[in-house]
Amino acid sequence: MSFQSPAILLLLLGLPLLIWVYRSRSVQSGSSAYALLPGLSQLRQVQRDAWKRHLGAGLYLLALALGIVALARPQATLRVPDNLAGVMLAMDVSGSMRASDIPPSRLEAAQKAAQDFVRALPEEAKVGLVSFAGYATLEVPLTTDHQSVIDRIALFQLARGTAIGEGLLESLKAFPADAQGKPLGPSTIVLLSDGRSNRGTDPLEAAQKAKQMGVKVHTIGLGKPLAAGEVPSYLAFDEEALRAIAEATGGQYYTAESVEALQAAYRKLQRAVGWKLEHTEVTGVLGLFSGLLLASSLIMAQLRRRVV
């Protein structure tokens, strides 16, 4: 949080003095009250009711503090939907996605996680879908109709080969661009693969194209990395390539060896994709709370006078 008039906050330094004055008077009045009590039971009752005596004053001081902060014109950085954002999902549908090491299968786990990701995007964000195996296919152009993307993800069919570079290039083509070839708004690709590229364009060349366009690419490696040597090579993904793609474009790389890890990767992306940070003045909100607290303290003071 930042403040447009931070010097006003110096007034908060006067609050400890007010608390000291209040405590001094409370002690004096409390001592007089105790002197008039005839027995120990009444003393205990007064001690039990002490918090009620001080609550009104506490609310008043809190209202005063919030009022001072409001006068300093605070600004908060909020995460708000970005209606110019475009998100392309590029998903591997090669034959290795039928493997069941991530139950019920890699494909089904990836489908569900991607569908949940789309559901969590802001309604204003445009989302599209590309599938790739030996070649890439634009399944759904960028659209605010998120349900059409969710429905299409459920219809994936597996095919031979893995062309990660083609999946990237097909996704890049889906972004509307200006005369210089730059996307018209913040553009992101979320690419998931469980293999290594063996067809088409070199993935790193495609990543350089994305970098030139200013498109950020987040990558998810599904299953086991090739370097681990824990599964046959045809079931392992190229961690080095996926990491390099993300780093070259300013994106993040995630590895998902389980359903939980895959869901966690998409949840992290949900907080970063389709949103923007906006500085908003929150003076009115703090002023409102200050007024409510002040009114509460005055009401409590009136009630206490009636009781007394």
PDB file of all heavy atoms in Angstrom, residues 121-156:
ATOM      1  N   LEU A 121     -10.461 -18.631 -15.224  1.00  0.00           N
ATOM      2  CA  LEU A 121     -10.037 -17.396 -15.877  1.00  0.00           C
ATOM      3  C   LEU A 121     -11.118 -16.328 -15.752  1.00  0.00           C
ATOM      4  O   LEU A 121     -12.306 -16.642 -15.685  1.00  0.00           O
ATOM      5  CB  LEU A 121      -9.752 -17.653 -17.362  1.00  0.00           C
ATOM      6  CG  LEU A 121      -8.495 -18.443 -17.707  1.00  0.00           C
ATOM      7  CD1 LEU A 121      -8.449 -18.731 -19.208  1.00  0.00           C
ATOM      8  CD2 LEU A 121      -7.242 -17.702 -17.277  1.00  0.00           C
ATOM      9  N   PRO A 122     -10.733 -15.052 -15.714  1.00  0.00           N
ATOM     10  CA  PRO A 122     -11.743 -13.984 -15.703  1.00  0.00           C
ATOM     11  C   PRO A 122     -12.632 -14.082 -16.945  1.00  0.00           C
ATOM     12  O   PRO A 122     -12.162 -14.461 -18.030  1.00  0.00           O
ATOM     13  CB  PRO A 122     -10.895 -12.703 -15.737  1.00  0.00           C
ATOM     14  CG  PRO A 122      -9.545 -13.105 -15.284  1.00  0.00           C
ATOM     15  CD  PRO A 122      -9.351 -14.523 -15.694  1.00  0.00           C
ATOM     16  N   GLU A 123     -13.900 -13.758 -16.778  1.00  0.00           N
ATOM     17  CA  GLU A 123     -14.842 -13.866 -17.890  1.00  0.00           C
ATOM     18  C   GLU A 123     -14.425 -13.020 -19.080  1.00  0.00           C
ATOM     19  O   GLU A 123     -14.696 -13.380 -20.223  1.00  0.00           O
ATOM     20  CB  GLU A 123     -16.242 -13.446 -17.421  1.00  0.00           C
ATOM     21  CG  GLU A 123     -16.867 -14.392 -16.418  1.00  0.00           C
ATOM     22  CD  GLU A 123     -18.257 -13.964 -16.036  1.00  0.00           C
ATOM     23  OE1 GLU A 123     -18.753 -12.944 -16.603  1.00  0.00           O
ATOM     24  OE2 GLU A 123     -18.880 -14.616 -15.188  1.00  0.00           O
ATOM     25  N   GLU A 124     -13.748 -11.891 -18.820  1.00  0.00           N
ATOM     26  CA  GLU A 124     -13.380 -10.984 -19.906  1.00  0.00           C
ATOM     27  C   GLU A 124     -12.185 -11.492 -20.712  1.00  0.00           C
ATOM     28  O   GLU A 124     -11.939 -11.027 -21.825  1.00  0.00           O
ATOM     29  CB  GLU A 124     -13.045  -9.605 -19.341  1.00  0.00           C
ATOM     30  CG  GLU A 124     -14.194  -8.925 -18.614  1.00  0.00           C
ATOM     31  CD  GLU A 124     -14.282  -9.321 -17.153  1.00  0.00           C
ATOM     32  OE1 GLU A 124     -13.623 -10.316 -16.769  1.00  0.00           O
ATOM     33  OE2 GLU A 124     -15.002  -8.640 -16.403  1.00  0.00           O
ATOM     34  N   ALA A 125     -11.415 -12.427 -20.155  1.00  0.00           N
ATOM     35  CA  ALA A 125     -10.213 -12.907 -20.834  1.00  0.00           C
ATOM     36  C   ALA A 125     -10.580 -13.777 -22.032  1.00  0.00           C
ATOM     37  O   ALA A 125     -11.498 -14.593 -21.964  1.00  0.00           O
ATOM     38  CB  ALA A 125      -9.336 -13.687 -19.866  1.00  0.00           C
ATOM     39  N   LYS A 126      -9.845 -13.593 -23.112  1.00  0.00           N
ATOM     40  CA  LYS A 126     -10.038 -14.433 -24.293  1.00  0.00           C
ATOM     41  C   LYS A 126      -9.132 -15.653 -24.184  1.00  0.00           C
ATOM     42  O   LYS A 126      -7.962 -15.546 -23.823  1.00  0.00           O
ATOM     43  CB  LYS A 126      -9.721 -13.643 -25.563  1.00  0.00           C
ATOM     44  CG  LYS A 126     -10.604 -12.424 -25.792  1.00  0.00           C
ATOM     45  CD  LYS A 126     -10.187 -11.684 -27.049  1.00  0.00           C
ATOM     46  CE  LYS A 126     -11.057 -10.458 -27.276  1.00  0.00           C
ATOM     47  NZ  LYS A 126     -10.874  -9.446 -26.196  1.00  0.00           N
ATOM     48  N   VAL A 127      -9.687 -16.814 -24.498  1.00  0.00           N
ATOM     49  CA  VAL A 127      -8.920 -18.048 -24.409  1.00  0.00           C
ATOM     50  C   VAL A 127      -9.133 -18.856 -25.672  1.00  0.00           C
ATOM     51  O   VAL A 127     -10.221 -18.847 -26.263  1.00  0.00           O
ATOM     52  CB  VAL A 127      -9.316 -18.857 -23.146  1.00  0.00           C
ATOM     53  CG1 VAL A 127     -10.786 -19.220 -23.173  1.00  0.00           C
ATOM     54  CG2 VAL A 127      -8.455 -20.094 -22.995  1.00  0.00           C
ATOM     55  N   GLY A 128      -8.072 -19.536 -26.129  1.00  0.00           N
ATOM     56  CA  GLY A 128      -8.148 -20.376 -27.314  1.00  0.00           C
ATOM     57  C   GLY A 128      -7.444 -21.695 -27.058  1.00  0.00           C
ATOM     58  O   GLY A 128      -6.838 -21.900 -26.000  1.00  0.00           O
ATOM     59  N   LEU A 129      -7.518 -22.590 -28.038  1.00  0.00           N
ATOM     60  CA  LEU A 129      -6.999 -23.948 -27.830  1.00  0.00           C
ATOM     61  C   LEU A 129      -6.316 -24.462 -29.084  1.00  0.00           C
ATOM     62  O   LEU A 129      -6.864 -24.372 -30.186  1.00  0.00           O
ATOM     63  CB  LEU A 129      -8.148 -24.879 -27.441  1.00  0.00           C
ATOM     64  CG  LEU A 129      -7.820 -26.358 -27.222  1.00  0.00           C
ATOM     65  CD1 LEU A 129      -6.911 -26.520 -26.009  1.00  0.00           C
ATOM     66  CD2 LEU A 129      -9.103 -27.160 -27.037  1.00  0.00           C
ATOM     67  N   VAL A 130      -5.110 -25.006 -28.899  1.00  0.00           N
ATOM     68  CA  VAL A 130      -4.357 -25.687 -29.960  1.00  0.00           C
ATOM     69  C   VAL A 130      -3.973 -27.067 -29.448  1.00  0.00           C
ATOM     70  O   VAL A 130      -3.540 -27.210 -28.302  1.00  0.00           O
ATOM     71  CB  VAL A 130      -3.093 -24.896 -30.343  1.00  0.00           C
ATOM     72  CG1 VAL A 130      -2.122 -25.757 -31.146  1.00  0.00           C
ATOM     73  CG2 VAL A 130      -3.461 -23.651 -31.144  1.00  0.00           C
ATOM     74  N   SER A 131      -4.147 -28.067 -30.265  1.00  0.00           N
ATOM     75  CA  SER A 131      -3.656 -29.409 -29.943  1.00  0.00           C
ATOM     76  C   SER A 131      -2.518 -29.738 -30.899  1.00  0.00           C
ATOM     77  O   SER A 131      -2.489 -29.251 -32.036  1.00  0.00           O
ATOM     78  CB  SER A 131      -4.774 -30.457 -30.070  1.00  0.00           C
ATOM     79  OG  SER A 131      -5.205 -30.563 -31.416  1.00  0.00           O
ATOM     80  N   PHE A 132      -1.577 -30.541 -30.424  1.00  0.00           N
ATOM     81  CA  PHE A 132      -0.479 -30.921 -31.317  1.00  0.00           C
ATOM     82  C   PHE A 132      -0.020 -32.345 -31.013  1.00  0.00           C
ATOM     83  O   PHE A 132       0.006 -32.787 -29.872  1.00  0.00           O
ATOM     84  CB  PHE A 132       0.698 -29.943 -31.212  1.00  0.00           C
ATOM     85  CG  PHE A 132       1.366 -29.899 -29.860  1.00  0.00           C
ATOM     86  CD1 PHE A 132       2.431 -30.746 -29.556  1.00  0.00           C
ATOM     87  CD2 PHE A 132       0.940 -29.007 -28.876  1.00  0.00           C
ATOM     88  CE1 PHE A 132       3.053 -30.703 -28.314  1.00  0.00           C
ATOM     89  CE2 PHE A 132       1.550 -28.958 -27.637  1.00  0.00           C
ATOM     90  CZ  PHE A 132       2.606 -29.808 -27.351  1.00  0.00           C
ATOM     91  N   ALA A 133       0.268 -33.038 -32.075  1.00  0.00           N
ATOM     92  CA  ALA A 133       0.926 -34.346 -32.012  1.00  0.00           C
ATOM     93  C   ALA A 133       2.034 -34.260 -33.073  1.00  0.00           C
ATOM     94  O   ALA A 133       2.978 -33.506 -32.905  1.00  0.00           O
ATOM     95  CB  ALA A 133      -0.059 -35.465 -32.277  1.00  0.00           C
ATOM     96  N   GLY A 134       1.868 -34.986 -34.211  1.00  0.00           N
ATOM     97  CA  GLY A 134       2.834 -34.834 -35.296  1.00  0.00           C
ATOM     98  C   GLY A 134       2.633 -33.533 -36.055  1.00  0.00           C
ATOM     99  O   GLY A 134       3.495 -33.104 -36.823  1.00  0.00           O
ATOM    100  N   TYR A 135       1.485 -32.912 -35.870  1.00  0.00           N
ATOM    101  CA  TYR A 135       1.177 -31.606 -36.461  1.00  0.00           C
ATOM    102  C   TYR A 135       0.302 -30.848 -35.462  1.00  0.00           C
ATOM    103  O   TYR A 135      -0.169 -31.425 -34.476  1.00  0.00           O
ATOM    104  CB  TYR A 135       0.447 -31.778 -37.801  1.00  0.00           C
ATOM    105  CG  TYR A 135      -0.788 -32.619 -37.702  1.00  0.00           C
ATOM    106  CD1 TYR A 135      -2.037 -32.055 -37.439  1.00  0.00           C
ATOM    107  CD2 TYR A 135      -0.725 -34.008 -37.860  1.00  0.00           C
ATOM    108  CE1 TYR A 135      -3.170 -32.834 -37.326  1.00  0.00           C
ATOM    109  CE2 TYR A 135      -1.864 -34.796 -37.742  1.00  0.00           C
ATOM    110  CZ  TYR A 135      -3.076 -34.204 -37.478  1.00  0.00           C
ATOM    111  OH  TYR A 135      -4.196 -34.980 -37.367  1.00  0.00           O
ATOM    112  N   ALA A 136       0.077 -29.587 -35.709  1.00  0.00           N
ATOM    113  CA  ALA A 136      -0.701 -28.762 -34.783  1.00  0.00           C
ATOM    114  C   ALA A 136      -2.022 -28.361 -35.413  1.00  0.00           C
ATOM    115  O   ALA A 136      -2.107 -28.127 -36.622  1.00  0.00           O
ATOM    116  CB  ALA A 136       0.095 -27.514 -34.385  1.00  0.00           C
ATOM    117  N   THR A 137      -3.051 -28.270 -34.585  1.00  0.00           N
ATOM    118  CA  THR A 137      -4.393 -27.903 -35.049  1.00  0.00           C
ATOM    119  C   THR A 137      -4.979 -26.828 -34.145  1.00  0.00           C
ATOM    120  O   THR A 137      -4.946 -26.965 -32.919  1.00  0.00           O
ATOM    121  CB  THR A 137      -5.331 -29.129 -35.032  1.00  0.00           C
ATOM    122  OG1 THR A 137      -4.786 -30.163 -35.849  1.00  0.00           O
ATOM    123  CG2 THR A 137      -6.720 -28.750 -35.533  1.00  0.00           C
ATOM    124  N   LEU A 138      -5.499 -25.760 -34.761  1.00  0.00           N
ATOM    125  CA  LEU A 138      -6.220 -24.751 -34.009  1.00  0.00           C
ATOM    126  C   LEU A 138      -7.616 -25.298 -33.731  1.00  0.00           C
ATOM    127  O   LEU A 138      -8.457 -25.364 -34.625  1.00  0.00           O
ATOM    128  CB  LEU A 138      -6.287 -23.432 -34.778  1.00  0.00           C
ATOM    129  CG  LEU A 138      -7.084 -22.307 -34.111  1.00  0.00           C
ATOM    130  CD1 LEU A 138      -6.432 -21.892 -32.792  1.00  0.00           C
ATOM    131  CD2 LEU A 138      -7.218 -21.112 -35.046  1.00  0.00           C
ATOM    132  N   GLU A 139      -7.871 -25.679 -32.496  1.00  0.00           N
ATOM    133  CA  GLU A 139      -9.161 -26.252 -32.124  1.00  0.00           C
ATOM    134  C   GLU A 139     -10.210 -25.178 -31.889  1.00  0.00           C
ATOM    135  O   GLU A 139     -11.354 -25.301 -32.343  1.00  0.00           O
ATOM    136  CB  GLU A 139      -9.007 -27.103 -30.859  1.00  0.00           C
ATOM    137  CG  GLU A 139      -7.990 -28.228 -30.950  1.00  0.00           C
ATOM    138  CD  GLU A 139      -8.533 -29.431 -31.716  1.00  0.00           C
ATOM    139  OE1 GLU A 139      -9.706 -29.396 -32.130  1.00  0.00           O
ATOM    140  OE2 GLU A 139      -7.776 -30.402 -31.908  1.00  0.00           O
ATOM    141  N   VAL A 140      -9.831 -24.104 -31.175  1.00  0.00           N
ATOM    142  CA  VAL A 140     -10.752 -23.005 -30.870  1.00  0.00           C
ATOM    143  C   VAL A 140      -9.975 -21.695 -30.957  1.00  0.00           C
ATOM    144  O   VAL A 140      -8.972 -21.535 -30.271  1.00  0.00           O
ATOM    145  CB  VAL A 140     -11.369 -23.140 -29.459  1.00  0.00           C
ATOM    146  CG1 VAL A 140     -12.375 -22.012 -29.220  1.00  0.00           C
ATOM    147  CG2 VAL A 140     -12.034 -24.497 -29.277  1.00  0.00           C
ATOM    148  N   PRO A 141     -10.405 -20.753 -31.816  1.00  0.00           N
ATOM    149  CA  PRO A 141      -9.748 -19.435 -31.836  1.00  0.00           C
ATOM    150  C   PRO A 141      -9.995 -18.702 -30.525  1.00  0.00           C
ATOM    151  O   PRO A 141     -10.848 -19.098 -29.727  1.00  0.00           O
ATOM    152  CB  PRO A 141     -10.443 -18.714 -33.006  1.00  0.00           C
ATOM    153  CG  PRO A 141     -11.216 -19.754 -33.729  1.00  0.00           C
ATOM    154  CD  PRO A 141     -11.517 -20.849 -32.769  1.00  0.00           C
ATOM    155  N   LEU A 142      -9.265 -17.637 -30.308  1.00  0.00           N
ATOM    156  CA  LEU A 142      -9.453 -16.846 -29.094  1.00  0.00           C
ATOM    157  C   LEU A 142     -10.905 -16.392 -28.971  1.00  0.00           C
ATOM    158  O   LEU A 142     -11.477 -15.842 -29.904  1.00  0.00           O
ATOM    159  CB  LEU A 142      -8.528 -15.630 -29.110  1.00  0.00           C
ATOM    160  CG  LEU A 142      -7.054 -15.895 -28.807  1.00  0.00           C
ATOM    161  CD1 LEU A 142      -6.227 -14.654 -29.084  1.00  0.00           C
ATOM    162  CD2 LEU A 142      -6.864 -16.362 -27.368  1.00  0.00           C
ATOM    163  N   THR A 143     -11.480 -16.621 -27.795  1.00  0.00           N
ATOM    164  CA  THR A 143     -12.882 -16.305 -27.585  1.00  0.00           C
ATOM    165  C   THR A 143     -13.157 -16.082 -26.102  1.00  0.00           C
ATOM    166  O   THR A 143     -12.420 -16.583 -25.243  1.00  0.00           O
ATOM    167  CB  THR A 143     -13.779 -17.452 -28.092  1.00  0.00           C
ATOM    168  OG1 THR A 143     -15.147 -17.141 -27.821  1.00  0.00           O
ATOM    169  CG2 THR A 143     -13.437 -18.764 -27.411  1.00  0.00           C
ATOM    170  N   THR A 144     -14.202 -15.335 -25.808  1.00  0.00           N
ATOM    171  CA  THR A 144     -14.647 -15.193 -24.421  1.00  0.00           C
ATOM    172  C   THR A 144     -15.660 -16.282 -24.054  1.00  0.00           C
ATOM    173  O   THR A 144     -16.115 -16.337 -22.913  1.00  0.00           O
ATOM    174  CB  THR A 144     -15.281 -13.805 -24.191  1.00  0.00           C
ATOM    175  OG1 THR A 144     -16.331 -13.600 -25.143  1.00  0.00           O
ATOM    176  CG2 THR A 144     -14.247 -12.696 -24.335  1.00  0.00           C
ATOM    177  N   ASP A 145     -15.995 -17.124 -25.027  1.00  0.00           N
ATOM    178  CA  ASP A 145     -16.891 -18.248 -24.770  1.00  0.00           C
ATOM    179  C   ASP A 145     -16.058 -19.392 -24.188  1.00  0.00           C
ATOM    180  O   ASP A 145     -15.650 -20.312 -24.893  1.00  0.00           O
ATOM    181  CB  ASP A 145     -17.575 -18.677 -26.074  1.00  0.00           C
ATOM    182  CG  ASP A 145     -18.550 -19.833 -25.872  1.00  0.00           C
ATOM    183  OD1 ASP A 145     -18.773 -20.235 -24.702  1.00  0.00           O
ATOM    184  OD2 ASP A 145     -19.076 -20.348 -26.880  1.00  0.00           O
ATOM    185  N   HIS A 146     -15.797 -19.321 -22.902  1.00  0.00           N
ATOM    186  CA  HIS A 146     -14.922 -20.303 -22.261  1.00  0.00           C
ATOM    187  C   HIS A 146     -15.491 -21.715 -22.330  1.00  0.00           C
ATOM    188  O   HIS A 146     -14.737 -22.689 -22.387  1.00  0.00           O
ATOM    189  CB  HIS A 146     -14.670 -19.898 -20.816  1.00  0.00           C
ATOM    190  CG  HIS A 146     -13.916 -18.615 -20.683  1.00  0.00           C
ATOM    191  ND1 HIS A 146     -13.547 -18.090 -19.464  1.00  0.00           N
ATOM    192  CD2 HIS A 146     -13.445 -17.740 -21.621  1.00  0.00           C
ATOM    193  CE1 HIS A 146     -12.897 -16.949 -19.646  1.00  0.00           C
ATOM    194  NE2 HIS A 146     -12.835 -16.720 -20.949  1.00  0.00           N
ATOM    195  N   GLN A 147     -16.816 -21.842 -22.332  1.00  0.00           N
ATOM    196  CA  GLN A 147     -17.420 -23.166 -22.343  1.00  0.00           C
ATOM    197  C   GLN A 147     -17.086 -23.906 -23.629  1.00  0.00           C
ATOM    198  O   GLN A 147     -16.929 -25.137 -23.618  1.00  0.00           O
ATOM    199  CB  GLN A 147     -18.932 -23.050 -22.171  1.00  0.00           C
ATOM    200  CG  GLN A 147     -19.624 -24.390 -21.948  1.00  0.00           C
ATOM    201  CD  GLN A 147     -19.119 -25.115 -20.721  1.00  0.00           C
ATOM    202  OE1 GLN A 147     -18.978 -24.518 -19.649  1.00  0.00           O
ATOM    203  NE2 GLN A 147     -18.831 -26.405 -20.856  1.00  0.00           N
ATOM    204  N   SER A 148     -16.967 -23.184 -24.736  1.00  0.00           N
ATOM    205  CA  SER A 148     -16.633 -23.850 -26.004  1.00  0.00           C
ATOM    206  C   SER A 148     -15.242 -24.465 -25.941  1.00  0.00           C
ATOM    207  O   SER A 148     -15.000 -25.541 -26.513  1.00  0.00           O
ATOM    208  CB  SER A 148     -16.711 -22.847 -27.164  1.00  0.00           C
ATOM    209  OG  SER A 148     -15.722 -21.832 -27.036  1.00  0.00           O
ATOM    210  N   VAL A 149     -14.325 -23.816 -25.237  1.00  0.00           N
ATOM    211  CA  VAL A 149     -12.985 -24.372 -25.067  1.00  0.00           C
ATOM    212  C   VAL A 149     -13.028 -25.591 -24.162  1.00  0.00           C
ATOM    213  O   VAL A 149     -12.409 -26.626 -24.446  1.00  0.00           O
ATOM    214  CB  VAL A 149     -12.028 -23.303 -24.490  1.00  0.00           C
ATOM    215  CG1 VAL A 149     -10.627 -23.878 -24.286  1.00  0.00           C
ATOM    216  CG2 VAL A 149     -11.970 -22.088 -25.405  1.00  0.00           C
ATOM    217  N   ILE A 150     -13.766 -25.482 -23.080  1.00  0.00           N
ATOM    218  CA  ILE A 150     -13.903 -26.605 -22.141  1.00  0.00           C
ATOM    219  C   ILE A 150     -14.492 -27.827 -22.848  1.00  0.00           C
ATOM    220  O   ILE A 150     -14.016 -28.959 -22.676  1.00  0.00           O
ATOM    221  CB  ILE A 150     -14.789 -26.191 -20.950  1.00  0.00           C
ATOM    222  CG1 ILE A 150     -14.065 -25.132 -20.106  1.00  0.00           C
ATOM    223  CG2 ILE A 150     -15.166 -27.393 -20.092  1.00  0.00           C
ATOM    224  CD1 ILE A 150     -14.935 -24.479 -19.055  1.00  0.00           C
ATOM    225  N   ASP A 151     -15.510 -27.599 -23.649  1.00  0.00           N
ATOM    226  CA  ASP A 151     -16.137 -28.713 -24.373  1.00  0.00           C
ATOM    227  C   ASP A 151     -15.179 -29.332 -25.378  1.00  0.00           C
ATOM    228  O   ASP A 151     -15.148 -30.560 -25.547  1.00  0.00           O
ATOM    229  CB  ASP A 151     -17.394 -28.222 -25.095  1.00  0.00           C
ATOM    230  CG  ASP A 151     -18.496 -27.798 -24.130  1.00  0.00           C
ATOM    231  OD1 ASP A 151     -18.435 -28.197 -22.952  1.00  0.00           O
ATOM    232  OD2 ASP A 151     -19.398 -27.042 -24.552  1.00  0.00           O
ATOM    233  N   ARG A 152     -14.405 -28.511 -26.048  1.00  0.00           N
ATOM    234  CA  ARG A 152     -13.490 -29.023 -27.080  1.00  0.00           C
ATOM    235  C   ARG A 152     -12.354 -29.829 -26.472  1.00  0.00           C
ATOM    236  O   ARG A 152     -11.900 -30.815 -27.065  1.00  0.00           O
ATOM    237  CB  ARG A 152     -12.927 -27.854 -27.896  1.00  0.00           C
ATOM    238  CG  ARG A 152     -12.112 -28.296 -29.107  1.00  0.00           C
ATOM    239  CD  ARG A 152     -12.944 -29.116 -30.056  1.00  0.00           C
ATOM    240  NE  ARG A 152     -12.114 -29.748 -31.084  1.00  0.00           N
ATOM    241  CZ  ARG A 152     -12.560 -30.663 -31.933  1.00  0.00           C
ATOM    242  NH1 ARG A 152     -13.828 -31.056 -31.884  1.00  0.00           N
ATOM    243  NH2 ARG A 152     -11.743 -31.189 -32.826  1.00  0.00           N
ATOM    244  N   ILE A 153     -11.898 -29.419 -25.284  1.00  0.00           N
ATOM    245  CA  ILE A 153     -10.830 -30.171 -24.618  1.00  0.00           C
ATOM    246  C   ILE A 153     -11.257 -31.614 -24.377  1.00  0.00           C
ATOM    247  O   ILE A 153     -10.456 -32.544 -24.483  1.00  0.00           O
ATOM    248  CB  ILE A 153     -10.456 -29.488 -23.287  1.00  0.00           C
ATOM    249  CG1 ILE A 153      -9.735 -28.165 -23.558  1.00  0.00           C
ATOM    250  CG2 ILE A 153      -9.573 -30.386 -22.426  1.00  0.00           C
ATOM    251  CD1 ILE A 153      -9.475 -27.338 -22.315  1.00  0.00           C
ATOM    252  N   ALA A 154     -12.531 -31.808 -24.096  1.00  0.00           N
ATOM    253  CA  ALA A 154     -13.038 -33.155 -23.805  1.00  0.00           C
ATOM    254  C   ALA A 154     -13.047 -34.055 -25.035  1.00  0.00           C
ATOM    255  O   ALA A 154     -13.196 -35.273 -24.905  1.00  0.00           O
ATOM    256  CB  ALA A 154     -14.448 -33.053 -23.223  1.00  0.00           C
ATOM    257  N   LEU A 155     -12.883 -33.481 -26.226  1.00  0.00           N
ATOM    258  CA  LEU A 155     -13.000 -34.263 -27.469  1.00  0.00           C
ATOM    259  C   LEU A 155     -11.655 -34.624 -28.094  1.00  0.00           C
ATOM    260  O   LEU A 155     -11.607 -35.087 -29.232  1.00  0.00           O
ATOM    261  CB  LEU A 155     -13.831 -33.463 -28.491  1.00  0.00           C
ATOM    262  CG  LEU A 155     -15.248 -33.097 -28.049  1.00  0.00           C
ATOM    263  CD1 LEU A 155     -15.934 -32.260 -29.121  1.00  0.00           C
ATOM    264  CD2 LEU A 155     -16.058 -34.354 -27.740  1.00  0.00           C
ATOM    265  N   PHE A 156     -10.562 -34.422 -27.363  1.00  0.00           N
ATOM    266  CA  PHE A 156      -9.231 -34.710 -27.919  1.00  0.00           C
ATOM    267  C   PHE A 156      -9.119 -36.161 -28.387  1.00  0.00           C
ATOM    268  O   PHE A 156      -9.605 -37.085 -27.733  1.00  0.00           O
ATOM    269  CB  PHE A 156      -8.150 -34.452 -26.874  1.00  0.00           C
ATOM    270  CG  PHE A 156      -7.778 -32.994 -26.733  1.00  0.00           C
ATOM    271  CD1 PHE A 156      -7.213 -32.540 -25.555  1.00  0.00           C
ATOM    272  CD2 PHE A 156      -7.964 -32.095 -27.762  1.00  0.00           C
ATOM    273  CE1 PHE A 156      -6.861 -31.213 -25.408  1.00  0.00           C
ATOM    274  CE2 PHE A 156      -7.619 -30.768 -27.628  1.00  0.00           C
ATOM    275  CZ  PHE A 156      -7.060 -30.323 -26.446  1.00  0.00           C
TER     276      PHE A 156
END
